[in-house]
Amino acid sequence: MPAGRTVSIRVRRFDPAAGGRRLWQAYDVDAGPMMSVLDALFWVLENEDPTLAFRYSCRAGMCGSCAMVINGREGLACARRLERLRAPVTVEPLRSLPVIKDLLVDLRPFFEKYRAVDPFYIGQAASVFDPASEPAVLPRGDAAREIVDRQIDCIACGACYSACPIVSIVPEFLGPAALNRAYTVAADARDAAGVERLHRVTADGGVFACHSVGNCVTVCPVGVDPLLSIQLLRKGAVHR
Amino acid sequence: MRARPARGRQAFAWHYLRVSGVLIVALVFVHLFVMHYASLPSAATAAFVGARWAAAGWRAFDWMLLLLALTHGVVGAHAMLRDVARRPLSRTALDVTAGAVTAAFLGLGTAVILMAAPPGDRGPLSSYTWIPSLLTGGLVTIATAAYVGVLAAGAALGMRLARRDPIGRWNYPGQWMFAINRTAGAGVLGFLLVHVLDVALFPFAPDLYDRTVAAYAMPYLIPMEAGLVAAVVYHAFDGLRLMLLEALDRRASRMAAPSFIALVVLTISLSLPALAVLLGWRP
């Protein structure tokens, strides 16, 4: 699609105050060069409909706030260029999450599951500032660390959670992002909560609920591979 | 990372499906070759079964195939349905049904494999002439459900594409692989149950068994039979793909689209000879 022309976008609207019906609304956007889907949503907000609701923050593909479903695929609205999308461009809220209004979803179920895996470092010492605490020495080229270094790039945007069919079928499934985070902390040699964490992620609703569909890998906007983390967590459970 | 034993229903299903899948795959391909490439399902008459089961090795082979296919199918179907069953009563009913189906069909199949054929063409159930009609009706029902399901799904997808409506997660190759795997598994399990019942006629009424297997030559059933071969091939290779993927500590999951294309090509290539045989071609 050449830039600098009118581009039709169709937005999935939902307003609980107006009866709660989900419907498609089309807008013709004056598309400038390099215009992103987020820019187009701002154009609609400023020129057509000030009631359109969506979430955003950094506008630079770093924070994950503007994750939504664009032309049927999860992605960051700020990182998807209109000229690279087939028109009419459809924009929907993330799946498997309650819609608050229009493109704005309630991320609480996502973060509740994230929190369930204790997604933070739990060290053996009371504090890293404890004088008795020895600094960790990692060998150069440590394979596990190389994987962790890649996997900690997750920005918790929820795209993988939305793309995962198991999340929509099995409500208790923790989801790709939470399990990826569990791996990154459990694989840390200094982690003091590894056994407990592994116990949690191998129970029902954890890594064995995953069917290796792989949509999470396909959609991740920052190139994280949650399925790899899930596989490694399973191996941690299998190779005991 | 120190590890803990995996626990829970999902962990059991995950392990069992992989172990039984590895054990069954060679048996399944031998069975497919004998019944669908080198011969025709409708040619598996009582005389054919009698000659085959005269050898203890074939009896052991068929019993292993029954045991692994049935338990693999029931564990898979149970895991699939248990995931969507919400109420405790539904879950209990599912558990009981899975156990009862396994016990009944494994018991029946084992008894049939162990029993000797009657001396003549007729057996104690030969006067129940409605049985072949019932079993053929079951096959026709499975075939009709499969044809209607495929047509309805295709029409729904086609309409969405024509209207340029989003097609949900069907944009992703992984979604197709997952859905086809489950559909193929469910279809093969459904056929297996009917198949155990029709083979069960062999020791009790060989004449009725012959009438039942003759129904496999009905033109209406041929697309379903070819589809079943394709379902078995797809399910087996997709299972192997998943296990290979899980064994690799690499980012092999990025290979979703190429592996889906490879799966489809492999399935079609290996199913076409079976279709040709069903349509009357002989090598």
Side-chain angles (χ1 to χ4, degrees):
Chain A
M1 177 197 318
R5 54 183 288 193
T6 300
V7 173
S8 175
I9 71 166
R10 295 169 69 206
V11 181
R12 191 78 152 164
R13 303 293 305 266
F14 170 80
D15 185 356
R21 277 189 61 226
R22 299 188 72 188
L23 47 91
W24 288 102
Q25 196 154 348
Y27 304 96
D28 289 327
V29 175
D30 287 338
M34 302 291 284
M35 194 175 198
S36 69
V37 173
L38 185 63
D39 294 332
L41 294 175
F42 272 113
W43 189 94
V44 172
L45 193 73
E46 288 160 8
N47 298 285
E48 293 269 346
D49 190 343
T51 68
L52 180 66
F54 54 94
R55 182 184 282 122
Y56 73 98
S57 183
C58 75
R59 302 193 189 198
M62 293 168 67
C63 72
S65 302
C66 63
M68 47 191 80
V69 180
I70 300 158
N71 274 5
R73 300 175 77 96
E74 280 78 0
L76 300 181
C78 67
R80 304 287 295 272
R81 302 280 167 218
L82 278 185
E83 67 259 28
R84 292 186 185 171
L85 295 167
R86 196 184 69 168
V89 177
T90 58
V91 188
E92 301 167 85
L94 291 179
R95 298 177 256 244
S96 301
L97 290 163
V99 179
I100 299 169
K101 187 173 183 296
D102 300 335
L103 303 171
L104 197 63
V105 292
D106 182 354
L107 284 162
R108 270 180 297 187
F110 172 77
F111 282 112
E112 277 164 13
K113 290 176 180 178
Y114 203 81
R115 196 175 300 123
V117 300
D118 288 340
F120 39 79
Y121 170 73
I122 299 173
Q124 314 218 351
S127 159
V128 288
F129 302 111
D130 184 343
S133 170
E134 289 291 321
V137 179
L138 293 173
R140 201 177 175 83
D142 180 72
R145 194 66 227 175
E146 279 183 10
I147 296 173
V148 170
D149 281 348
R150 282 201 306 264
Q151 305 290 66
I152 54 174
D153 285 344
C154 172
I155 54 175
C157 63
C160 58
Y161 189 87
S162 167
C164 176
I166 307 302
V167 167
S168 62
I169 297 170
V170 187
E172 66 268 25
F173 179 44
L174 291 167
L179 292 171
N180 176 67
R181 183 62 191 163
Y183 172 73
T184 61
V185 283
D188 191 318
R190 303 160 301 165
D191 181 38
V195 172
E196 177 53 35
R197 214 188 307 267
L198 205 55
H199 191 75
R200 203 170 303 163
V201 300
T202 55
D204 280 354
V207 288
F208 292 106
C210 168
H211 289 260
S212 304
V213 177
N215 292 356
C216 52
V217 189
T218 307
V219 302
C220 180
V222 291
V224 169
D225 188 337
L227 188 50
L228 178 62
S229 294
I230 292 172
Q231 285 161 204
L232 292 167
L233 283 170
R234 281 189 195 129
K235 281 191 172 181
V238 173
H239 299 158
R240 55 185 185 270
Chain B
M1 176 172 44
R2 284 193 298 156
R4 294 266 307 187
R7 64 210 166 85
R9 172 184 66 82
Q10 290 163 345
F12 167 76
W14 189 90
H15 286 97
Y16 188 77
L17 290 176
R18 276 147 187 80
V19 171
S20 57
V22 166
L23 293 175
I24 201 176
V25 76
L27 305 182
V28 162
F29 280 109
V30 169
H31 186 74
L32 271 189
F33 180 79
V34 171
M35 303 307 299
H36 289 275
Y37 291 72
S39 179
L40 276 172
S42 56
T45 58
F48 174 91
V49 178
R52 179 175 160 121
W53 282 354
W58 274 116
R59 285 190 189 222
F61 177 94
D62 284 344
W63 186 79
M64 281 300 293
L65 188 58
L66 169 69
L67 173 73
L68 291 169
L70 184 64
T71 52
H72 183 93
V74 170
V75 168
H78 177 260
M80 199 161 77
L81 295 171
R82 197 64 152 62
D83 282 345
V84 292
R86 293 279 153 262
R87 288 182 302 177
L89 188 63
S90 315
R91 293 185 161 189
T92 308
L94 261 176
D95 297 347
V96 171
T97 306
V101 166
T102 307
F105 281 82
L106 188 59
L108 179 65
T110 304
V112 166
I113 289 171
L114 291 176
M115 285 170 82
D121 284 347
R122 294 178 62 82
L125 294 183
S126 287
S127 57
Y128 296 93
T129 52
W130 51 268
I131 296 176
S133 305
L134 184 72
L135 291 171
T136 306
L139 288 170
V140 169
T141 305
I142 291 177
T144 305
Y147 302 155
V148 171
V150 168
L151 288 175
L157 185 65
M159 280 169 61
R160 279 193 170 199
L161 287 171
R163 290 199 307 249
R164 294 200 164 185
D165 279 348
I167 54 170
R169 298 188 182 96
W170 300 108
N171 280 299
Y172 305 124
Q175 187 74 20
W176 285 95
M177 289 192 274
F178 168 67
I180 298 174
N181 186 306
R182 285 197 155 191
T183 309
V188 173
L189 176 64
F191 173 74
L192 174 67
L193 299 182
V194 176
H195 189 43
V196 169
L197 292 177
D198 69 41
V199 176
L201 279 176
F202 168 70
F204 300 108
D207 51 339
L208 298 187
Y209 170 76
D210 282 347
R211 278 174 54 190
T212 307
V213 292
Y216 285 102
M218 285 167 60
Y220 185 72
L221 293 182
I222 285 177
M224 179 199 72
E225 290 171 52
L228 273 169
V229 173
V232 170
V233 170
Y234 179 91
H235 196 77
F237 279 108
D238 192 41
L240 292 174
R241 177 192 68 85
L242 279 177
M243 282 186 269
L244 186 65
L245 172 72
E246 287 157 2
L248 296 171
D249 286 351
R250 300 203 177 88
R251 294 158 74 88
S253 42
R254 290 215 172 273
M255 298 290 289
S259 59
F260 180 50
I261 293 166
L263 261 178
V264 170
V265 170
L266 199 59
T267 302
I268 292 173
S269 309
L270 290 177
S271 306
L272 279 179
L275 177 63
V277 169
L278 283 166
L279 291 174
W281 178 78
R282 295 290 175 272

